[in-house]
Amino acid sequence: MFEQAEYLILGNWKMNLNIQDAKALADSVVKAASALPKHIATGVCPASLHLAQTNAIFQNSSVALGAQDCHFERSGAFTGDISAAQLKDIGCSFTLLGHSERRQFHQESDQLVHKKAEAALNQNLHAVICIGETLEERESGRYTQVLETQIKNSLPAIGTRDTISIAYEPIWAIGTGRTAESQDIEETHRFIREILKQIYSKATPRILYGGSVKANNALEILSLSVVDGVLVGGASLDAEAFATIMRAAASVATASV
Ligand code: PGA
């Protein structure tokens, strides 16, 4: 999945939209994505409740369908959960894992995220594993240690660039309108890349940035050579904003059309 992509533009709709609005937004994303060059890959993670109906819209398009989470078991007595196998079955090709909201509101540990990532990979679902530090960890300078621990404990070594991506999302930038400075993104992505090199001998996974990516800052963020794409929350709910972010990726891509 995403093998040829120079940039990955992913939308996380979280617990938003009714089915009618989700379908309308999915239609708009398909339209905007159809105008992009092939090496810009687009994916959207609707609420799990809407996966089947949005899949019908994304099915014959260039937009990949993603989930926001999965369970690590294949099936069983896990009320309210959804397995990677079920996500694959309904049409998903990737899933987010370890999003900071899952870590915060569902007490997900790195070890749990690791198990989920293995389950996703076993089902041929590309795993987008989220990591990120709190404001306190950033300001105290402990964030490199925090990120290193999250990476080493959450990522299965069996992954490859084609099966795993990292989304670096500083928690203090998510939904706050406060984006990390370009210099911080650059320095942090370089640090993450070094850690990834210790785990993966061949091509290391892509590193996406997430946290208040908007239509008006996407170009600056995507222009950084260390950024392989973005994970967009709030702005992905706005068809025009998300389309602008996709076009920003196309405008900075170096691959030929
Ligand atoms: P945001 O969310 O773009 O609304 O900050 C990003 C995310 O949580 O993935």
Side-chain angles (χ1 to χ4, degrees):
M1 191 67 207
F2 304 133
E3 280 85 350
Q4 306 303 325
E6 182 175 346
Y7 286 102
L8 225 56
I9 308 299
L10 304 182
N12 175 10
W13 291 355
K14 307 191 179 183
M15 194 176 71
N16 290 298
L17 306 171
N18 60 28
I19 188 60
Q20 206 179 343
D21 293 342
K23 284 162 74 176
L25 184 56
D27 276 329
S28 306
V29 175
V30 166
K31 216 179 201 176
S34 69
L36 293 174
K38 289 233 172 337
H39 50 273
I40 310 296
T42 312
V44 167
C45 306
S48 51
L49 175 71
H50 297 153
L51 285 171
Q53 279 168 285
T54 44
N55 181 50
I57 296 169
F58 292 146
Q59 214 161 31
N60 295 311
S61 81
S62 58
V63 183
L65 182 71
Q68 299 174 11
D69 178 44
C70 76
H71 195 276
F72 60 86
E73 289 288 0
R74 198 189 158 82
S75 61
F78 298 100
T79 303
D81 279 315
I82 303 175
S83 73
Q86 290 174 312
L87 294 173
K88 185 74 186 176
D89 183 46
I90 209 78
C92 289
S93 51
F94 74 101
T95 183
L96 305 182
L97 291 173
H99 189 282
S100 64
E101 287 149 19
R102 299 289 316 169
R103 292 177 187 264
Q104 183 186 350
F105 301 124
H106 298 267
Q107 288 77 45
E108 293 199 1
S109 64
D110 290 335
Q111 288 68 24
L112 180 63
V113 174
H114 187 283
K115 279 166 87 171
K116 290 181 173 198
E118 282 182 339
L121 265 46
N122 283 337
Q123 294 299 325
N124 286 323
L125 285 177
H126 186 104
V128 179
I129 300 175
C130 306
I131 59 167
E133 79 283 359
T134 63
L135 187 57
E136 190 268 310
E137 288 160 347
R138 161 75 46 182
E139 287 178 342
S140 68
R142 277 192 302 125
Y143 66 98
T144 47
Q145 175 87 57
V146 169
L147 295 173
E148 181 169 351
T149 304
Q150 287 180 345
I151 295 167
K152 290 194 166 159
N153 293 340
S154 308
L155 269 66
I158 53 164
T160 66
R161 182 177 171 84
D162 291 339
T163 59
I164 285 187
S165 296
I166 301 293
Y168 168 58
E169 302 201 299
I171 296 170
W172 45 273
I174 295 178
T176 57
R178 180 174 169 188
T179 330
E181 300 289 332
S182 289
Q183 206 184 333
D184 290 336
I185 297 176
E186 220 157 11
E187 176 253 331
T188 311
H189 277 224
R190 274 191 219 290
F191 172 77
I192 294 170
R193 179 73 66 209
E194 287 311 309
I195 305 296
L196 292 176
K197 281 184 191 160
Q198 295 173 19
I199 307 174
Y200 303 99
S201 51
K202 295 208 184 94
T204 50
R206 290 179 180 79
I207 308 173
L208 318 183
Y209 172 78
S212 296
V213 176
K214 307 281 178 213
N216 63 6
N217 61 19
L219 188 59
E220 181 180 343
I221 294 167
L222 288 160
S223 302
L224 301 170
S225 62
V226 294
V227 171
D228 301 310
V230 284
L231 176 55
V232 187
S236 71
L237 297 169
D238 176 330
E240 194 36 49
F242 196 53
T244 304
I245 295 168
M246 290 184 214
R247 286 194 295 269
S251 75
V252 291
T254 55
S256 53
V257 181

